[in-house]
Amino acid sequence: TGTVTIATTGAEDNQTVTVTLNGADYTGNVGSDAASVTVSASDLQALADGNSYDLTANVSDAVGNAATADTGTSFTVDTTVPNTPTLAGPSLTNSATPMFTGTAEAGSTVNLSEGSTLLVQATADGNEDFSIVLSDSLTEGSHDITATATDAANNVSGPSGPHTVVV
């Protein structure tokens, strides 16, 4: 199941909110300037990846009189994991803060990590390129660096193959 929470500023407590999504209505009650409705798991799973959907919310009083004008928004379902980023950088360097470059889904947040330790983040540009200089120094020795990409819908790619750099 999923929950849709609606801000209902100005609506009175205990009024009914009706949320319409993909042709189905879900109802809840207003309380403290908000209302929540529960959407079944099967209805959420019926929303196809890549498709756009309209969601509307209407508030009414106990006898069904509209308390608000129709309000709504559109959204696109995105459950697709970004492609694994590519990662390049020096193999041997005397710089403790080397630069790494690569490609990732345009607009995605690229995380460079060593094991489970996040080293730095950047954003892939419109050409799917990124360039990152480490902000914290690497110690002398060998380091295996990987990259992941997180898109706007918080889908996370698998990690790139490790890039080994020796400082």
Side-chain angles (χ1 to χ4, degrees):
T1 62
T3 302
V4 176
T5 302
I6 308 292
T8 56
T9 304
E12 296 177 13
D13 285 354
N14 298 318
Q15 288 183 315
T16 301
V17 63
T18 302
V19 173
T20 303
L21 173 62
N22 204 26
D25 290 336
Y26 307 91
T27 58
N29 290 318
V30 173
S32 301
D33 290 332
S36 296
V37 297
T38 300
V39 180
S40 70
S42 61
D43 287 351
L44 290 173
Q45 291 167 349
L47 303 176
D49 188 42
N51 286 357
S52 181
Y53 296 91
D54 293 323
L55 180 137
T56 60
N58 296 295
V59 177
S60 57
D61 63 17
V63 293
N65 297 315
T68 62
D70 288 350
T71 58
T73 189
S74 295
F75 65 93
T76 300
V77 174
D78 179 2
T79 60
T80 303
V81 173
N83 290 332
T84 300
T86 64
L87 181 61
S91 297
L92 180 64
T93 182
N94 61 2
S95 172
T97 56
M99 176 185 285
F100 293 90
T101 60
T103 60
E105 180 178 304
S108 65
T109 299
V110 178
N111 294 322
L112 291 191
S113 301
E114 182 175 18
S116 62
T117 302
L118 176 65
L119 300 175
V120 67
Q121 292 181 319
T123 302
D125 66 21
N127 294 320
E128 300 186 342
D129 297 320
F130 67 88
S131 176
I132 303 174
V133 174
L134 296 184
S135 54
D136 291 330
S137 297
L138 295 174
T139 59
E140 283 191 28
S142 181
H143 301 272
D144 290 330
I145 310 299
T146 58
T148 58
T150 303
D151 67 14
N154 285 324
N155 299 309
V156 181
S157 73
S160 66
H163 178 83
T164 302
V165 58
V166 177
V167 178

